[in-house]
Amino acid sequence: MSEPAIFKAKALIAKAQHIVVLTGAGVSAESGIKTFRAAEGLWEEHSIEDVATPQGFRNDPQLVWRFYNERRRAADIATPNPGHIALARLESLRLLRQKIKSSSAPFMILTQNIDGLHQQAGSQNVLELHGSIWLVRCTGCESLRDDYPIQLPVPPRCDECGSLLRPHVVWFGEALEEAVLAQAEKATRGADLFLVIGTSAVVQPAASYPFMAARRKIPVIEINLEKTPVSEIATLTLLGKSGDILPKLL
Ligand code: OAD
Ligand code: ZN
């Protein structure tokens, strides 16, 4: 990654009024959380079908909960890395700078990650496209809670109605919440700069947002270890670790 590219990215950021950032597993990699695609269909020794689909949960809720208890443990011991911290800092600088009230926020993160590390780093305007590992939903009464112990009994049951509880995350074959979709699209339409960081950009609808921005002739800056489908439309692709590159953009 060349210095002129960093310089160009900084200039685009300085000019923008409404920055939207799409993040993926790569942003949390330097915090010790494993990415998906690297494992070639296996996720911590389990097939995705077994642990991250509605059918998998119906077949074996115990296995799925043991798996998510382990994900909760890993996310609990992880801490934000310099990439998360730089994004939080960028947002706070933007909030200070914002002079005029506007309908779209000066800075928003759309994350595919469920680990909560952006919020832990201090980011305020974060939309969790794929849910959160810290939220637990009842399959009966739909109640949503974030106050369960990190390790839940396997399988956990709802205090209110006794039904099985599930992680409030989007599994393969499930749709994103309508309200979440609407917010993500609105933010993308309001953006004048779009950043795509640490995502293989193959899972829909998240992967479509940078393309929506590019169609509107909005500059797109990508940060990734390697090229992705987004590189084709990106104004700039900065190759390297997000934890190295993001602090340089401040
Ligand atoms: P992936 O595992 O598909 O992609 C991670 C991306 O991060 C790859 O493009 C890597 O090159 C890049 N990467 C790895 N380490 C990096 C680093 N230190 N700095 C910058 N980039 C790095 O993860 P996602 O794109 O997030 O969905 O996957 C999207 C969705 O697919 C996930 O949210 C999940 C999964 O199935 C659901 O569970 C619904
Ligand atoms: Zn219930």
Side-chain angles (χ1 to χ4, degrees), residues 11-29:
L12 287 170
I13 290 170
K15 226 169 58 181
Q17 301 287 323
H18 302 290
I19 302 177
V20 173
V21 187
L22 173 68
T23 66
V27 169
S28 292

